[in-house]
Amino acid sequence: MTFNYQNANIHYNVRGKGPAVILLHGFLESATMWNPLIPLIVDKHTVITIDFPGLGKSEPIAEVHTMTMMAEVVDALLQKLNIDKATLIGHSMGGYITLAFIELFEEKVAKIILLNSTSKADSSERKAIRDRSIQLMEKRPKAFISMAIGNWAVEDSREKFKEDLDFLKNQAYTFPVEGIIAALRGMRNRKDRTEVLSKFPRPKYLLLAEDDPIIAAKETGKLAQQAGVEVKIISGGHMSMIENQSALISFVQSALAH
Ligand code: MLT
């Protein structure tokens, strides 16, 4: 299904019955990343997925897709569906957007479940990497996508989960170049939302992976615990949905059940 947001077609899907859960994918991903989880939670929940603007099948909106703007797109979808309260589950960039959402619409959120994500802003080193990524994306998009997705998984996983990682790469090659760049700019410019996370008064969970090259597990876990978040650290790299699927799914199921 699609809806129109600022003249862009945004793809979404709704399945199941029960309390609403909205699944927010990460950078270079789309709603397809949730396919292994959906059948396991759809009996007891209304499960909503979305492709963020400029990723998946959704059209880009602007030159910079800020986390706030993406949170506003999520809100527009929930309003369209007449949903006034939902649990948000966000992977990585989807987690940054979850935090932007609670900053704006805290009263609409029942619970948050963050996966391989952080409340921290980009460090200056990371901002410099974003700038180089944008340059590479402008010149050699396929090389950037292949390298980025390849680097997210730990070395062991690269062969073991080659098919899933190749699926992700091939899917991302079809995304509009300007959409990917807009998301890179949005992540680069995002602010620190540790305070926002800390103030959120309802249940909050964070799953981290020991060898995640993007989100440092120990440091991020400590910070989140100080913000009152229930944290679990599992093995593997940044792509827990692929690299440690059973642990991710049981974490989400138990967080949803509490
Ligand atoms: C993601 O998986 O959404 C991104 O890798 C997050 C990031 O680059 O900060």
Side-chain angles (χ1 to χ4, degrees), residues 26-27 29 91-94 96 122 126 130 152 187 190 214-215 238-239:
F27 177 59
E29 294 167 339
H91 177 248
S92 198
M93 184 188 77
Y96 310 157
D122 273 4
R126 192 113 188 94
R130 297 276 188 219
W152 288 340
M187 289 193 288
R190 78 186 191 282
I214 306 283
I215 311 287
H238 189 59
M239 305 306 287

Side-chain angles (χ1 to χ4, degrees), residues 117-120 206 208 214-225 231:
S117 197
T118 177
S119 59
K120 290 198 50 152
L206 170 63
L208 294 166
I214 306 283
I215 311 287
K218 268 196 194 136
E219 183 198 320
T220 310
K222 209 166 156 193
L223 190 74
Q225 273 167 343
V231 177

Side-chain angles (χ1 to χ4, degrees), residues 60-239:
I61 293 176
E63 289 198 350
V64 185
H65 289 166
T66 64
M67 302 302 108
T68 296
M69 183 273 264
M70 306 244 234
E72 281 164 348
V73 177
V74 172
D75 183 54
L77 175 58
L78 293 179
Q79 282 189 39
K80 180 189 157 50
L81 300 172
N82 285 320
I83 291 170
D84 48 22
K85 202 152 203 158
T87 287
L88 271 58
I89 305 184
H91 177 248
S92 198
M93 184 188 77
Y96 310 157
I97 297 166
T98 298
L99 296 175
F101 191 95
I102 61 172
E103 183 176 34
L104 294 174
F105 312 111
E106 182 241 280
E107 71 290 350
K108 298 187 183 182
V109 183
K111 195 182 275 191
I112 61 171
I113 304 173
L114 307 172
L115 309 169
N116 311 100
S117 197
T118 177
S119 59
K120 290 198 50 152
D122 273 4
S123 62
S124 48
E125 292 81 25
R126 192 113 188 94
K127 282 190 182 13
I129 295 174
R130 297 276 188 219
D131 291 339
R132 289 201 294 278
S133 302
I134 291 167
Q135 281 168 8
L136 183 56
M137 193 58 211
E138 280 163 348
K139 287 195 206 111
R140 298 175 58 212
K142 267 187 136 174
F144 169 72
I145 292 166
S146 169
M147 197 182 63
I149 294 177
N151 286 344
W152 288 340
V154 293
E155 208 168 325
D156 280 0
S157 302
R158 291 185 199 150
E159 259 321 295
K160 198 165 164 200
F161 301 106
K162 189 175 180 325
E163 220 174 286
D164 300 289
L165 295 167
D166 283 348
F167 172 85
L168 260 192
K169 288 180 193 176
N170 287 323
Q171 179 182 244
Y173 295 154
T174 69
F175 300 171
V177 167
E178 67 270 34
I180 294 177
I181 292 176
L184 282 166
R185 292 193 181 118
M187 289 193 288
R188 181 196 189 282
N189 297 352
R190 78 186 191 282
K191 65 179 185 186
D192 188 295
R193 289 194 170 87
T194 307
E195 185 78 16
V196 173
L197 177 62
S198 191
K199 283 194 179 138
F200 180 67
R202 285 178 289 282
K204 36 197 176 188
Y205 300 88
L206 170 63
L207 184 76
L208 294 166
E210 236 160 47
D211 298 312
D212 188 329
I214 306 283
I215 311 287
K218 268 196 194 136
E219 183 198 320
T220 310
K222 209 166 156 193
L223 190 74
Q225 273 167 343
Q226 284 160 0
V229 179
E230 197 164 310
V231 177
K232 188 174 169 80
I233 301 182
I234 60 172
S235 62
H238 189 59
M239 305 306 287

